[in-house]
Amino acid sequence: MFGVPHTLFAIPARAAAKPLALLSLLALLGACSKAPESTSPTTQGAGGVTAGHGVSDERLVKAGSEPDVWLGHGRTYDEQRYSPLKQIDAANVGRLGLAWSYRLPTRRGTEATPLVVDGVLYTTGPWSIVYAMNAASGELLWTYDPKVPTEWARYACCDVVNRGVAAWGDKIFVATLDGRLVALDASTGEMRWSTQTTDPERPYTITGAPRVVKGKVIIGNGGAELGVRGYVSAYDADSGQQAWRFYTVPGDPSLPFESEVLQGAADTWKGGEWWKIGGGGTVWDSMAYDPELDLLYVGVGNGSPWSRHIRSPGGGDNLFLSSIVALKPDTGAYVWHYQTTPGDSWDYTATQHMILTDLEIGGQLRKVIMQAPKNGFFYVLDRQTGELISASNFVQTTWASHIDMETGRPVETPGARFADAPSFALPSPFGGHNWHPMSYSPDTGLVYIPAQEFPFVYGKDETFKYAPGYWNLGVDGSLSATPEDPEVAKQLAAMIKGRIIAWNPVTQKEAFHVDHPGPWNGGLLTTGGNLLFQGTPGGQFSAYRADNGERLWEFSAQTGIVAAPITYRVDGVQYVAVMAGWGGTFPLFFGSAYPPSNEPVNELLVFKLDGDAILAPPVRLEQVLPEPPEQKVDAEILARGKKDYHLRCAMCHGESAVGGGILPDLRYMNSQTHQDFYAIVLGGARSKSGMPPFGQILSAEEVDGIHAYIIDRAQNAWAQQATVGE
Ligand code: CA
């Protein structure tokens, strides 16, 4: 949104950014979403080092005492993403070099945190594909492709990404984009069991990593934007049998509630028919576990639709949206909750990374859980009781002035709920912090936050009508399109920021920060070597001093990095690994921020001291903007087209019709695609590639308007190109 001058993000690797040819984009889309030859899941194995091991409950509980491995998503159950390894340290990190790399045969977003178990590295790529490799040499041991139907991509709000696997016993667990939970033999990649965890008739997706607690595999799901009811489930790791399910929002109140807790939650929903759309509250990413208290913490997402005016017109907190919920992992029984954003209307999820530690606060040692959710406040809670200990904003928050310590609730600013007029707000639906993992270093006592500032205009979609299987926001996205006035656009662009914030959770104050050229930077890792690692969308993978943020080392990855790094040790050698690969929700909607210059590559990069491997060079994109057709409609139809485009198309093809290199940039349509426009948009001619047919919800007149708006944007780009050429 708010088209950003490219100079704001002038990063060497992408400085030569040029427009993409539609043909190369279509080729690219085809390459990544070609229908599989066989529809049954496949495993391919190779010889060499054998995978397979025993990850016991005891090993998971004591994972902190095994520095060589990375056994769980956040390394340890407390999800600190800190490793005590210090062979690589602030003094010698300048010698860090590439040990090996592995290029994934797909070009969609890469968000996984790898696991390393006894010399074997397990990771995932787009389309929920699993890879097992020799962690020292990079030799591929096996891959598993769950053969997610490519047309399911239409339900993926945020690209066909996957954030990783879980390990337990002799199995590896992956959850697939189309809602399956699959157990694989860790040695061979053969499927042991598979179970559908979602209703295939609803637009559920899974992108998160499972966790395993005491022999139960815990998994949530996503899809709130499209219209689903959120829940988290547990499955027996041996048999795949469902053990329990906890719904995060109440269902149809005319039917019996699943529990008394949900009956109570239903009192906080007033009016409306939220259950038809689903209500949201998806548990799509973060979890943590405290073995001593035996509590499982899950982060709950935003409402469906976003706008409470539609979802719950009588008001109310709408439990358990945007909450941290503590559950008993054996039964799924509710223990406590803390709601960060009561009555969410802004997509302010509480699914962001949660970290457990013990902090001395006011002379007392407190067992805390910490989170920096999208809403911009950093929370420190007592993890036994859910009591709010402290909260302070880590980025600018226009929607609420502060958190009232008496009530534990945010104090909202007038007009923030855009009831009568649109509201200009920080943070945006992208959040002050999104899914990108934080890190907590017990050495420095600081929490490192991949933070961002990003304005957004929230306004009601007065025309909202529930459209099953399509985006259902209830918010008018066209209000956040790039302003036509270049001066206003420039002012807004200056407000868009990204940085690492080193946060002191005891004093609730920033210790220091590291500024980046823009937002949507990668996840974080800290180590015993006083190091902090992070990648950026510009493709720089860097090491900083953890105690003061000084940049010590960097590597050009040739593609954007959003995932979090890990570190591990094999035969006495310490490695640092990160999944590089641009994608996810941000480039889909806000491609103008980081226009691609290369064909996207997905690559696992692994470093060690004195590593001397060399990355294969990137492929430069050919760029030709076809001359756009003439405009045949009047200003009124064009204005309506702009609105409909931002309601129906922008979340995948980019605000203001500027693509981010993942899916087709529609300004580059050739004459044949212009001719086929109705067949594609209304008839579903490209549904196999994930492009939904809109015949049910858009009229031919509305498609005319959308087409006209795209032509207008293409003409605009054509004119700009001519100006540059003069
Ligand atoms: Ca959301």
Side-chain angles (χ1 to χ4, degrees):
M1 63 214 70
F2 308 136
V4 182
H6 297 165
T7 48
L8 185 73
F9 299 99
I11 299 164
R14 289 173 181 275
K18 285 181 186 151
L20 296 164
L22 177 72
L23 275 179
S24 44
L25 271 166
L26 292 180
L28 192 152
L29 179 71
C32 63
S33 58
K34 207 171 285 173
E37 282 167 23
S38 140
T39 51
S40 53
T42 55
T43 299
Q44 290 175 341
V49 171
T50 312
H53 49 80
V55 178
S56 61
D57 288 337
E58 196 187 353
R59 281 189 81 185
L60 287 175
V61 170
K62 295 181 179 167
S65 65
E66 286 196 66
D68 284 1
V69 293
W70 192 283
L71 291 182
H73 190 62
R75 182 168 176 268
T76 42
Y77 271 142
D78 54 24
E79 305 265 333
Q80 292 186 0
R81 290 179 176 267
Y82 165 86
S83 164
L85 290 180
K86 53 184 178 186
Q87 183 178 79
I88 303 163
D89 64 20
N92 67 18
V93 70
R95 285 169 41 208
L96 201 60
L98 193 66
W100 56 270
S101 62
Y102 181 84
R103 193 164 280 195
L104 275 57
T106 161
R107 292 158 175 176
R108 300 287 285 259
T110 306
E111 298 187 351
T113 298
L115 300 189
V116 173
V117 186
D118 306 336
V120 178
L121 184 150
Y122 302 92
T123 193
T124 59
W127 302 105
S128 330
I129 297 171
V130 186
Y131 301 84
M133 296 162 193
N134 179 314
S137 70
E139 181 199 8
L140 184 69
L141 304 177
W142 53 259
T143 64
Y144 170 78
D145 182 352
K147 302 281 184 187
V148 171
T150 48
E151 55 267 35
W152 204 261
R154 66 173 283 194
Y155 300 127
C157 71
C158 308
D159 204 355
V160 297
V161 296
N162 187 279
R163 285 186 289 277
V165 296
W168 188 81
D170 58 358
K171 295 189 198 71
I172 294 295
F173 303 91
V174 65
T176 69
L177 190 74
D178 56 346
R180 286 170 281 158
L181 180 65
V182 181
L184 303 172
D185 185 309
S187 305
T188 63
E190 295 292 335
M191 191 178 83
R192 292 280 191 83
W193 54 258
S194 173
T195 184
Q196 184 70 35
T197 71
T198 54
D199 177 352
E201 300 299 316
R202 304 290 302 226
Y204 282 102
T205 48
I206 305 183
T207 56
R211 310 294 202 278
V212 184
V213 175
K214 295 191 283 181
K216 290 187 175 65
V217 192
I218 320 287
I219 190 66
N221 45 56
E225 275 61 38
L226 286 97
V228 299
R229 181 187 182 197
Y231 56 84
V232 58
S233 322
Y235 294 85
D236 183 278
D238 285 323
S239 67
Q241 290 297 308
Q242 185 181 315
W244 53 259
R245 176 163 292 175
F246 178 84
Y247 284 98
T248 51
V249 299
D252 182 346
S254 71
L255 302 171
F257 292 105
E258 287 87 353
S259 68
E260 274 179 31
V261 170
L262 282 171
Q263 185 145 21
D267 293 340
T268 67
W269 295 67
K270 299 179 196 306
E273 295 183 314
W274 72 86
W275 62 92
K276 289 190 176 162
I277 303 176
T282 52
V283 179
W284 57 261
D285 194 56
S286 71
M287 293 183 230
Y289 173 60
D290 182 332
E292 196 191 314
L293 298 174
D294 194 29
L295 289 179
L296 171 73
Y297 306 96
V298 299
V300 182
N302 58 278
S304 171
W306 284 0
S307 172
R308 191 183 64 175
H309 309 296
I310 297 163
R311 193 179 67 231
S312 182
D317 287 351
N318 293 186
L319 290 172
F320 296 97
L321 296 182
S322 307
S323 300
I324 296 172
V325 181
L327 303 171
K328 286 306 235 183
D330 290 335
T331 58
Y334 165 92
V335 180
W336 61 254
H337 78 274
Y338 178 82
Q339 191 172 39
T340 55
T341 309
D344 169 49
S345 254
W346 307 272
D347 189 21
Y348 287 165
T349 61
T351 48
Q352 280 58 51
H353 184 189
M354 300 178 292
I355 295 176
L356 316 182
T357 191
D358 295 346
L359 294 177
E360 197 181 311
I361 297 173
Q364 243 190 311
L365 196 65
R366 303 291 300 263
K367 290 178 183 298
V368 306
I369 181 168
M370 306 182 287
Q371 191 188 48
K374 277 190 188 179
N375 77 14
F377 289 93
F378 189 95
Y379 295 86
V380 179
L381 309 178
D382 183 317
R383 71 172 178 273
Q384 286 181 281
T385 61
E387 175 206 347
L388 175 67
I389 295 173
S390 63
S392 183
N393 62 311
F394 61 95
V395 288
Q396 209 182 327
T397 55
T398 63
W399 72 280
S401 58
H402 63 286
I403 309 299
D404 184 310
M405 290 306 296
E406 290 288 308
T407 62
R409 298 172 66 90
V411 179
E412 292 177 17
T413 52
R417 288 190 175 271
F418 51 98
D420 306 314
S423 159
F424 181 87
L426 283 155
S428 75
F430 288 123
H433 164 228
N434 208 297
W435 64 268
H436 314 83
M438 308 189 293
S439 177
Y440 171 71
S441 166
D443 300 336
T444 62
L446 300 173
V447 178
Y448 301 85
I449 313 167
Q452 56 195 10
E453 291 197 332
F454 215 98
F456 190 84
V457 179
Y458 290 92
K460 284 183 185 174
D461 170 15
E462 302 287 1
T463 62
F464 179 81
K465 219 175 104 209
Y466 173 43
Y470 295 85
W471 281 63
N472 289 282
L473 302 186
V475 165
D476 180 359
S478 69
L479 296 169
S480 288
T482 303
E484 305 280 337
D485 183 336
E487 272 310 303
V488 181
K490 209 168 137 186
Q491 283 171 23
L492 284 165
M495 298 178 71
I496 300 174
K497 294 167 185 164
R499 61 175 80 98
I500 302 171
I501 297 177
W503 191 259
N504 184 326
V506 176
T507 61
Q508 285 281 15
K509 285 193 170 59
E510 181 184 301
F512 61 85
H513 68 262
V514 178
D515 279 321
H516 287 317
W520 212 253
N521 299 288
L524 295 164
L525 163 72
T526 53
T527 73
N530 189 23
L531 291 173
L532 169 68
F533 288 92
Q534 187 194 33
T536 65
Q540 255 58 44
F541 184 53
S542 302
Y544 305 86
R545 279 183 70 106
D547 57 0
N548 67 12
E550 183 193 347
R551 189 196 299 252
L552 300 172
W553 169 85
E554 71 172 37
F555 178 89
S556 177
Q558 306 179 156
T559 180
I561 299 175
V562 288
I566 63 160
T567 188
Y568 58 93
R569 190 166 57 185
V570 181
D571 295 332
V573 178
Q574 184 185 352
Y575 296 86
V576 174
V578 68
M579 299 291 293
W582 190 224
T585 183
F586 189 84
L588 290 184
F589 186 70
F590 194 43
S592 60
Y594 302 102
S597 59
N598 302 332
E599 283 206 23
V601 278
N602 276 5
E603 205 136 27
L604 169 62
L605 304 174
V606 181
F607 302 88
K608 65 177 180 180
L609 290 179
D610 305 319
D612 58 1
I614 292 168
L615 268 185
V619 180
R620 293 277 159 195
L621 286 165
E622 295 299 321
Q623 1 38 59
V624 183
L625 180 69
E627 186 173 359
E630 276 181 37
Q631 193 64 273
K632 290 185 185 134
V633 303
D634 61 24
E636 199 182 320
I637 294 175
L638 190 59
R640 179 66 219 186
K642 177 181 178 181
K643 197 180 169 86
D644 284 329
Y645 174 89
H646 285 91
L647 281 176
R648 299 293 175 206
C649 320
M651 42 293 274
C652 291
H653 293 286
E655 69 81 27
S656 302
V658 179
I662 310 295
L663 295 175
D665 185 319
L666 302 179
R667 299 171 304 167
Y668 290 75
M669 291 195 298
N670 62 20
S671 57
Q672 185 64 50
T673 313
H674 279 290
Q675 225 174 320
D676 295 344
F677 198 75
Y678 292 90
I680 296 167
V681 178
L682 291 173
R686 299 210 179 141
S687 59
K688 274 281 175 197
S689 303
M691 169 68 193
F694 284 88
Q696 301 279 324
I697 61 166
L698 287 175
S699 67
E701 290 71 33
E702 286 166 329
V703 175
D704 275 338
I706 290 170
H707 193 193
Y709 177 66
I710 293 165
I711 292 170
D712 178 71
R713 295 289 85 203
Q715 286 177 339
N716 189 279
W718 183 258
Q720 275 184 13
Q721 184 177 278
T723 313
V724 172
E726 274 162 14

